Amino acid sequence: MKIKLPEILNDKLSKSINEAKLQFDKLVSKEGKGNDFLGWLDLPVECKGYLEEIKETAKEFSAGLDVVVVVGIGGSNLGAKAIYEGLKPKFEKPQLEILFAGNNLDEDYHYELVEYLNDKQFGIIVISKSGTTTEPAIAFRILREKLEKSAGKEKASQRIIAITDKEKGALRKLANEESYKTFVIPDDVGGRYSVLSPVGLVPLAVAGIDIEQLCKGASEMRKVLFEDKSDENVAFRYAAARNLLYEQGYKVELLVNYNTSLITFAEWWKQLFGESEGKEAKGLFPASANFTTDLHSLGQFIQEGSRILFETVISVGQTKHDLIIPADDDNTDGLNYIAGKKIDFVNKMAMQGTYLAHTSAGVPNIIIEIDKVDEYNFGGLIYFFELSCAISGYMLGVNPFDQPGVEAYKRNMFALLGKPGYEEEGEKLRERLNNS
Ligand code: PA5
């Protein structure tokens, strides 16, 4: 992986990189905020110990199934979804279909999912660290009931894998009672840093993704980032640059891709940075754009709108396939000047043209280069962003491992739903709603 930073940062960069190094030392010596949630730092090394068990379980579990529904939200959903959607065939229907649920409260989504499963042999992987999150709990209740009705209680329990806390929470209790196969989410790993734990690895193994290569990519990235103490360390450089840009008044970081395989990855990235840094009225707002698609929508704003954002572009070296633009005798569409070129050549020229257009209009660009989109590179990219995010959060002065802000909506929702214990609060909120 390589990183290219905006030239405008040059004179301040070295000082900021030194600060990033100090924060890295604080992180690995466990002296910073949230230091009881640093288990993710070693997941790429530790996961080697449980890869075989996961692969074995995945093989047994998926035998005879048409569909597996992965139930979870936030950190218990986005990592696996990002990698699966990045690597699955774009059009060919896979032998084993992987669907995601428990990540919304959309009644129509759940209704149509249940209908779709009518004539299918399906299994469920339910993931919740707390074991009590409302969205996955509702989806799991509905899907479990359907599975038990269609396959019988005993067979259903063999078609469910639960990934949760080792002893706490409603999901752990149920899994123990029903003898589900379970995997543990380590106590010291928060949701958004958990993709390299069973949270991500189990569903990905079931989907046929090479989890060994994923962990290898992460583990080799970890080695490089831990050993390289120079100013060239890509995590130090990225954390330093985004903090400098924030100090210079940029408030939005737009993660840009030019490859459809990275669209869902941006959702994982947004959660990682948004939940880690957006607190104490501080932090860059993480947003994303898919180019060249969004050059025909957001492109106008980026070029000429409010100067509030900078771009972090993920540039992919090679495509998986070759597809050449054909010559045409009539040349009615005027494209013969690029006949014989790969589509990716045009994509790269669009990228370079956009870089020049946006940077000259006051939109700084950070460019992250990876060789290709595969398991190995996803592993590396995940660890790179996780480490950079932790360092960057420390540079900002926040605890990158908690998420107190997400409780506010939950409290109000429970009160409005009439959850026992929230009655008085519910009365007050209804009154506020009536008066607003
Ligand atoms: O990153 C986080 O901690 C959150 O996004 C959680 O992963 C999310 O709220 C789901 O929580 P749980 O796994 O407890 O159901």
Side-chain angles (χ1 to χ4, degrees):
M1 176 190 289
K2 287 193 189 128
I3 193 164
K4 192 173 154 200
L5 303 181
E7 277 168 22
I8 51 159
L9 301 180
N10 281 356
D11 54 334
K12 298 210 173 90
L13 198 56
S14 159
K15 194 162 166 250
S16 189
I17 289 176
N18 282 340
E19 179 59 24
K21 288 181 191 174
L22 288 177
Q23 298 307 332
F24 170 78
D25 290 343
K26 199 152 123 188
L27 181 74
V28 293
S29 61
K30 304 197 174 64
E31 286 161 13
K33 291 179 183 171
N35 59 8
D36 44 349
F37 278 97
L38 297 183
W40 59 274
L41 276 169
D42 298 324
L43 284 177
V45 181
E46 283 168 8
C47 68
K48 287 178 194 135
Y50 45 79
L51 285 182
E52 277 317 310
E53 185 196 349
I54 291 179
K55 284 199 291 186
E56 202 52 45
T57 304
K59 203 166 140 202
E60 275 171 30
F61 177 73
S62 54
L65 296 182
D66 305 315
V67 178
V68 170
V69 188
V70 181
V71 177
I73 195 166
S76 293
N77 156 268
L78 285 163
K81 193 162 189 265
I83 297 168
Y84 174 66
E85 293 189 348
L87 296 177
K88 72 170 184 176
K90 296 190 194 312
F91 301 103
E92 202 182 305
K93 211 168 159 62
Q95 222 180 343
L96 177 65
E97 199 174 355
I98 307 293
L99 300 175
F100 293 87
N103 53 349
N104 63 63
L105 290 170
D106 178 350
E107 186 156 341
D108 292 336
Y109 183 93
H110 289 85
Y111 182 91
E112 290 184 31
L113 173 62
V114 170
E115 287 290 298
Y116 180 72
L117 293 171
N118 268 342
D119 53 352
K120 313 271 188 313
Q121 296 295 328
F122 73 98
I124 306 169
I125 301 176
V126 55
I127 310 169
S128 177
K129 186 173 185 197
S130 61
T132 53
T133 308
T134 311
E135 291 89 340
I138 291 175
F140 183 52
R141 181 183 275 217
I142 290 167
L143 291 167
R144 180 167 62 100
E145 184 195 53
K146 182 166 183 70
L147 188 58
E148 286 177 354
K149 275 194 182 140
S150 63
K153 213 165 157 52
E154 202 185 318
K155 206 161 174 199
S157 69
Q158 291 158 16
R159 289 198 185 166
I160 295 173
I161 297 178
I163 306 173
T164 188
D165 185 85
K166 65 176 182 312
E167 49 197 20
K168 294 189 303 285
L171 181 57
R172 167 53 63 188
K173 190 165 173 281
L174 183 69
N176 289 348
E177 280 167 14
E178 302 292 332
S179 307
Y180 299 152
K181 169 76 184 167
T182 62
F183 286 90
V184 170
I185 308 179
D187 280 346
D188 56 356
V189 177
R192 59 192 174 277
Y193 293 85
S194 69
V195 54
L196 298 168
S197 78
V199 171
L201 298 180
V202 173
L204 288 170
V206 167
I209 303 294
D210 187 343
I211 57 171
E212 221 155 299
Q213 279 301 312
L214 183 74
C215 287
K216 188 169 179 229
S219 145
E220 289 185 6
M221 179 60 76
R222 180 186 184 278
K223 192 168 180 324
V224 170
L225 298 179
F226 272 53
E227 286 176 4
D228 181 1
K229 299 283 158 55
S230 80
D231 284 10
E232 297 311 307
N233 181 308
V234 285
F236 298 162
R237 292 181 82 74
Y238 178 51
R242 58 196 304 284
N243 271 279
L244 277 177
L245 289 163
Y246 178 64
E247 282 164 21
Q248 291 182 8
Y250 295 96
K251 296 294 174 232
V252 179
E253 179 177 8
L254 196 63
L255 189 76
V256 169
N257 68 72
Y258 283 80
N259 300 72
T260 58
S261 306
L262 294 173
I263 293 176
T264 317
F265 184 73
E267 301 306 312
W268 172 83
W269 175 90
K270 284 192 272 192
Q271 190 216 3
L272 177 67
F273 281 91
E275 253 185 13
S276 299
E277 291 195 320
K279 46 197 78 157
E280 299 174 30
K282 293 196 271 194
L284 283 160
F285 182 79
S288 64
N290 309 311
F291 290 173
T292 58
T293 309
D294 289 336
L295 287 172
H296 298 258
S297 65
L298 293 176
Q300 171 60 37
F301 186 101
I302 299 167
Q303 191 68 40
E304 296 183 348
S306 307
R307 303 294 76 190
I308 52 170
L309 58 88
F310 70 89
E311 292 168 307
T312 295
V313 180
I314 303 183
S315 164
V316 179
Q318 307 158 31
T319 55
K320 248 192 254 170
H321 310 285
D322 289 336
L323 187 60
I324 304 293
I325 299 164
D328 182 86
D329 287 346
D330 296 335
N331 195 27
T332 325
D333 53 15
L335 285 183
N336 272 356
Y337 76 105
I338 46 172
K341 303 280 189 210
K342 270 166 67 66
I343 296 183
D344 194 52
F345 173 76
V346 184
N347 205 20
K348 296 273 176 353
M349 291 307 109
M351 189 189 297
Q352 290 180 14
T354 306
Y355 169 80
L356 295 172
H358 288 182
T359 50
S360 62
V363 180
N365 267 223
I366 295 175
I367 317 275
I368 292 169
E369 292 175 2
I370 59 167
D371 295 341
K372 53 185 167 178
V373 179
D374 61 5
E375 282 91 339
Y376 181 85
N377 279 281
F378 262 131
L381 214 46
I382 280 165
Y383 199 80
F384 159 74
F385 276 127
E386 286 179 348
L387 191 71
S388 303
C389 181
I391 296 171
S392 181
Y394 277 179
M395 290 176 81
L396 193 64
V398 299
N399 175 357
F401 309 114
D402 65 1
Q403 53 286 329
V406 298
E407 294 309 316
Y409 103 88
K410 286 190 198 167
R411 255 201 105 73
N412 287 350
M413 178 178 72
F414 293 149
L416 292 168
L417 284 169
K419 187 172 177 172
Y422 292 79
E423 293 84 354
E424 212 177 300
E425 223 168 311
E427 277 303 306
K428 285 187 197 144
L429 290 179
R430 269 187 286 279
E431 208 176 300
R432 257 180 70 194
L433 285 173
N434 287 339
N435 294 334
S436 66

